[in-house]
Short mmCIF file of all heavy atoms in Angstrom, two decimals:
data_model
loop_
_atom_site.label_atom_id
_atom_site.label_comp_id
_atom_site.label_asym_id
_atom_site.label_seq_id
_atom_site.Cartn_x
_atom_site.Cartn_y
_atom_site.Cartn_z
N PRO F 357 -28.70 107.60 -79.19
CA PRO F 357 -27.89 106.36 -79.61
C PRO F 357 -28.17 105.18 -78.59
O PRO F 357 -28.24 105.47 -77.41
CB PRO F 357 -26.45 106.73 -79.57
CG PRO F 357 -26.37 107.95 -78.65
CD PRO F 357 -27.72 108.57 -78.65
N TYR F 358 -28.22 104.02 -78.99
CA TYR F 358 -28.35 102.93 -78.06
C TYR F 358 -27.40 101.71 -78.32
O TYR F 358 -27.33 100.85 -77.49
CB TYR F 358 -29.72 102.50 -77.68
CG TYR F 358 -30.76 102.56 -78.90
CD1 TYR F 358 -30.55 101.46 -79.81
CD2 TYR F 358 -31.78 103.40 -79.02
CE1 TYR F 358 -31.49 101.45 -80.96
CE2 TYR F 358 -32.54 103.47 -80.06
CZ TYR F 358 -32.48 102.40 -81.04
OH TYR F 358 -33.41 102.47 -82.10
N SER F 359 -26.71 101.64 -79.58
CA SER F 359 -25.88 100.54 -79.69
C SER F 359 -24.61 100.78 -78.76
O SER F 359 -24.29 101.85 -78.44
CB SER F 359 -25.35 100.44 -81.07
OG SER F 359 -24.42 101.47 -81.40
N THR F 360 -24.06 99.62 -78.37
CA THR F 360 -22.82 99.74 -77.43
C THR F 360 -21.79 100.61 -78.13
O THR F 360 -21.11 101.41 -77.44
CB THR F 360 -22.27 98.35 -77.20
OG1 THR F 360 -23.47 97.55 -76.82
CG2 THR F 360 -21.31 98.30 -76.05
N GLU F 361 -21.55 100.34 -79.45
CA GLU F 361 -20.42 101.12 -80.05
C GLU F 361 -20.76 102.64 -79.91
O GLU F 361 -19.81 103.41 -79.62
CB GLU F 361 -20.24 100.78 -81.49
CG GLU F 361 -20.07 99.24 -81.80
CD GLU F 361 -21.36 98.45 -81.67
OE1 GLU F 361 -22.31 98.77 -82.37
OE2 GLU F 361 -21.37 97.50 -80.93
N ALA F 362 -21.86 103.03 -80.27
CA ALA F 362 -22.23 104.44 -80.26
C ALA F 362 -22.12 105.02 -78.89
O ALA F 362 -21.55 106.06 -78.62
CB ALA F 362 -23.59 104.65 -80.84
N LEU F 363 -22.50 104.25 -77.91
CA LEU F 363 -22.39 104.69 -76.44
C LEU F 363 -21.01 104.87 -76.00
O LEU F 363 -20.62 105.86 -75.31
CB LEU F 363 -23.21 103.71 -75.58
CG LEU F 363 -24.68 103.76 -75.66
CD1 LEU F 363 -25.29 102.64 -74.86
CD2 LEU F 363 -25.29 105.03 -75.19
N ILE F 364 -20.14 103.97 -76.40
CA ILE F 364 -18.73 104.07 -76.12
C ILE F 364 -18.05 105.21 -76.68
O ILE F 364 -17.45 106.09 -76.06
CB ILE F 364 -17.92 102.79 -76.42
CG1 ILE F 364 -18.43 101.57 -75.58
CG2 ILE F 364 -16.43 102.97 -76.33
CD1 ILE F 364 -17.66 100.23 -75.92
N ASP F 365 -18.40 105.49 -77.92
CA ASP F 365 -17.88 106.64 -78.76
C ASP F 365 -18.26 107.85 -78.05
O ASP F 365 -17.40 108.88 -77.96
CB ASP F 365 -18.42 106.59 -80.17
CG ASP F 365 -18.01 107.69 -80.86
OD1 ASP F 365 -16.77 108.10 -80.88
OD2 ASP F 365 -18.81 108.28 -81.61
N LEU F 366 -19.48 107.97 -77.64
CA LEU F 366 -19.90 109.20 -77.00
C LEU F 366 -19.54 109.38 -75.57
O LEU F 366 -19.17 110.57 -75.20
CB LEU F 366 -21.44 109.29 -77.23
CG LEU F 366 -22.25 110.54 -76.89
CD1 LEU F 366 -21.79 111.66 -77.56
CD2 LEU F 366 -23.72 110.37 -77.32
N TYR F 367 -19.75 108.32 -74.93
CA TYR F 367 -19.59 108.57 -73.31
C TYR F 367 -18.30 107.80 -72.63
O TYR F 367 -18.19 107.95 -71.52
CB TYR F 367 -20.88 108.21 -72.70
CG TYR F 367 -22.11 108.84 -73.22
CD1 TYR F 367 -23.00 108.05 -73.95
CD2 TYR F 367 -22.29 110.17 -72.96
CE1 TYR F 367 -24.19 108.70 -74.46
CE2 TYR F 367 -23.59 110.73 -73.57
CZ TYR F 367 -24.38 110.07 -74.21
OH TYR F 367 -25.56 110.61 -74.74
N GLY F 368 -17.76 106.98 -73.43
CA GLY F 368 -16.62 106.27 -72.84
C GLY F 368 -16.94 104.90 -72.37
O GLY F 368 -18.19 104.63 -72.08
N GLU F 369 -15.95 103.97 -72.27
CA GLU F 369 -16.11 102.64 -71.88
C GLU F 369 -16.69 102.47 -70.47
O GLU F 369 -17.58 101.63 -70.12
CB GLU F 369 -14.74 101.94 -71.81
CG GLU F 369 -14.03 101.85 -73.09
CD GLU F 369 -14.02 100.48 -73.56
OE1 GLU F 369 -14.63 99.56 -72.93
OE2 GLU F 369 -13.27 100.17 -74.51
N GLU F 370 -16.28 103.50 -69.61
CA GLU F 370 -16.73 103.46 -68.16
C GLU F 370 -18.22 103.45 -68.02
O GLU F 370 -18.74 102.69 -67.35
CB GLU F 370 -16.11 104.67 -67.48
CG GLU F 370 -16.14 104.67 -66.07
CD GLU F 370 -15.62 103.35 -65.28
OE1 GLU F 370 -14.61 102.81 -65.83
OE2 GLU F 370 -16.14 102.96 -64.21
N LEU F 371 -18.88 104.36 -68.76
CA LEU F 371 -20.36 104.43 -68.81
C LEU F 371 -21.04 103.17 -69.16
O LEU F 371 -21.99 102.65 -68.40
CB LEU F 371 -20.79 105.67 -69.66
CG LEU F 371 -22.16 106.16 -69.68
CD1 LEU F 371 -23.07 105.56 -70.77
CD2 LEU F 371 -22.92 106.03 -68.33
N VAL F 372 -20.48 102.62 -70.18
CA VAL F 372 -21.16 101.31 -70.69
C VAL F 372 -20.97 100.23 -69.70
O VAL F 372 -21.94 99.50 -69.38
CB VAL F 372 -20.54 100.94 -72.01
CG1 VAL F 372 -21.03 99.67 -72.49
CG2 VAL F 372 -20.96 102.00 -73.07
N LYS F 373 -19.87 100.25 -69.00
CA LYS F 373 -19.73 99.28 -67.91
C LYS F 373 -20.71 99.53 -66.71
O LYS F 373 -21.34 98.67 -66.21
CB LYS F 373 -18.25 99.33 -67.40
CG LYS F 373 -17.57 98.03 -67.26
CD LYS F 373 -16.11 98.23 -66.85
CE LYS F 373 -16.02 97.85 -65.30
NZ LYS F 373 -14.79 98.40 -64.78
#
Side-chain angles (χ1 to χ4, degrees):
Chain F
Y358 36 73
S359 77
T360 310
E361 305 75 56
L363 289 171
I364 292 178
D365 175 46
L366 187 51
Y367 307 109
E369 298 252 8
E370 189 56 34
L371 189 263
V372 174
K373 232 176 101 199

